Amino acid sequence: MIRSSILFPALIALCTLSSFTSSTAELQRFPHAVKADGSLSLLVLGDWGRRGAYNQSQVANQMGIVGEKLDIDFVISTGDNFYDNGLTGIYDPQFEDSFSKIYTAPSLQKPWYSVLGNHDYRGCVEAQLSPVLTELDSKWLCLRSFIVDAEIVEFFFVDTTPFVDKYFTHPEESVYDWSGILPRNDYLSNLLKDVDSALKDSTAKWKIVVGHHTIRTAGYHGETKELVTQLLPILLENNVDLYINGHDHCLEHISSPDSPLQFLTSGGGSKAWRGEVSPYSPSEMKLYYDGQGFMSVQITQTELDIAFYDVFGNVLHKWGTSKQHYSFM
């Protein structure tokens, strides 16, 4: 791994200095062009960084195969990027051991747009956000909250970990890096306002929100009540098409009984098979798979299609929807 003797002294105290970061949460925007035919293809992976263990390498291999077949434009990570306690700093070898050395397929050498999970907050958060990691591996991009603008679709990445009360009130043996978050109420208030404003301003045909924590799930962690009460109303009010998350180590698709919003969990990047599933309405539960795998999304101006794949590359579930295309003369 290449190290910069110039950058290192300035960044060695990165996590402690970041406590002075502003708690505002303005959403940075990253443009990403669609293909020449107007389409976009991507993969979604979550809960993965274990130095190749727990079938992480096998999932990565199948991602490379599917990524080539679909000619993907980028990858989304739904968080918990590095287990068990995030990164210790910008030169933590786990970045290379769990990311650069694992996702080596040519088709995966595209931008990885990543959010933070709760395990990432147990390490040095600023390390994962640092541009130094992008210098070490050009496909890496991680921010707390941001927007990817792909013309026909906008992806709104939301930092969900600070919403969860128990991480503050009952952290147990875990130590969380809340630098840049406090005062918490201000941070969350600003973030919710920014997400709501960005969604309202969006003219994209499709709106997709990405976060680490669940809103609807039959998995082990259950629904994140703070997101159900604070974020979900904003998604419904602004006609969001998909909410994509990780956190539960499974693959899952739940539909809404009273709106077009679909809840998709892609958290099978490595350790899975927990074996705990809660009862859920069969009319809403379209897929629950307790093992490893990942998800694909293909989008055009009028069509959106998702598919879930297991560790062997088998398609577990497909779903699609369409919107009418209006052309104005």
Side-chain angles (χ1 to χ4, degrees):
M1 181 181 292
I2 300 173
R3 300 192 178 195
S4 169
S5 59
I6 298 175
L7 285 171
F8 186 71
L11 292 167
I12 194 168
L14 192 62
C15 290
T16 54
L17 290 174
S18 66
S19 61
F20 298 102
T21 302
S22 169
S23 63
T24 58
E26 295 181 3
L27 302 184
Q28 190 171 349
R29 183 178 295 268
F30 296 89
H32 195 117
V34 296
K35 295 183 178 70
D37 65 359
S39 68
L40 190 79
S41 301
L42 60 130
L43 300 182
V44 184
L45 179 73
D47 304 82
W48 42 269
R50 298 183 186 270
R51 293 186 166 89
Y54 296 98
N55 286 337
Q56 183 192 359
S57 294
Q58 287 79 356
V59 172
N61 180 60
Q62 293 300 329
M63 287 177 64
I65 295 170
V66 174
E68 182 176 359
K69 181 186 297 185
L70 300 183
D71 187 22
I72 63 167
D73 298 283
F74 56 84
V75 178
I76 286 175
S77 171
T78 59
D80 278 1
N81 306 317
F82 302 99
Y83 284 95
D84 278 323
N85 297 306
L87 297 178
T88 59
I90 54 176
Y91 296 122
D92 187 335
Q94 188 173 195
F95 179 72
E96 185 175 352
D97 294 342
S98 291
F99 181 62
S100 299
K101 290 182 177 179
I102 303 298
Y103 303 103
T104 57
S107 67
L108 302 182
Q109 306 314 302
K110 304 290 177 67
W112 282 57
Y113 298 116
S114 307
V115 290
L116 299 165
N118 52 297
H119 283 269
D120 300 311
Y121 266 96
R122 297 177 186 177
C124 177
V125 169
E126 290 295 327
Q128 288 199 48
L129 307 181
S130 172
V132 174
L133 293 193
T134 307
E135 294 177 10
L136 297 173
D137 191 323
S138 61
K139 62 180 179 286
W140 179 259
L141 190 149
C142 182
L143 295 175
R144 296 186 194 270
S145 301
F146 60 102
I147 298 170
V148 173
D149 182 353
E151 302 174 29
I152 57 174
V153 54
E154 285 188 341
F155 298 84
F156 304 83
F157 293 76
V158 180
D159 183 20
T160 61
T161 300
F163 283 91
V164 182
D165 292 335
K166 68 179 181 180
Y167 300 147
F168 293 84
T169 60
H170 296 88
E172 298 177 346
E173 297 180 358
S174 300
V175 177
Y176 292 89
D177 175 13
W178 298 127
S179 54
I181 297 299
L182 305 176
R184 179 190 176 206
N185 288 342
D186 290 348
Y187 179 84
L188 295 179
S189 175
N190 288 330
L191 177 54
L192 289 169
K193 289 176 183 176
D194 288 341
V195 171
D196 184 42
S197 176
L199 286 168
K200 281 181 167 55
D201 291 343
S202 175
T203 59
K205 194 65 175 285
W206 305 95
K207 301 177 187 179
I208 298 174
V209 175
V210 179
H212 177 65
H213 289 79
T214 58
I215 292 181
R216 301 293 187 213
T217 182
Y220 168 78
H221 290 104
E223 296 181 350
T224 309
K225 66 182 190 304
E226 297 89 349
L227 296 184
V228 172
T229 59
Q230 298 179 67
L231 182 61
L232 179 57
I234 293 174
L235 307 189
L236 294 173
E237 181 182 343
N238 289 287
N239 300 311
V240 169
D241 298 287
L242 308 179
Y243 176 73
I244 303 177
N245 60 273
H247 198 45
D248 275 337
H249 297 183
C250 63
L251 304 175
E252 190 173 20
H253 175 197
I254 295 177
S255 64
S256 300
D258 52 4
S259 85
L261 178 59
Q262 306 293 309
F263 301 94
L264 307 170
T265 298
S266 185
S270 57
K271 189 176 183 180
W273 301 110
R274 189 180 284 271
E276 298 184 32
V277 184
S278 301
Y280 216 95
S281 169
S283 63
E284 298 173 35
M285 178 63 70
K286 306 303 181 185
L287 170 72
Y288 188 92
Y289 179 71
D290 200 28
Q292 292 102 344
F294 59 99
M295 176 184 142
S296 69
V297 185
Q298 296 176 274
I299 307 172
T300 69
Q301 185 73 241
T302 58
E303 305 285 337
L304 186 151
D305 294 283
I306 65 168
F308 289 90
Y309 305 82
D310 69 10
V311 69
F312 303 106
N314 299 315
V315 177
L316 301 168
H317 171 66
K318 287 184 174 183
W319 178 86
T321 188
S322 62
K323 292 184 180 182
Q324 191 170 354
H325 177 56
Y326 296 98
S327 179
F328 297 97
M329 300 299 292

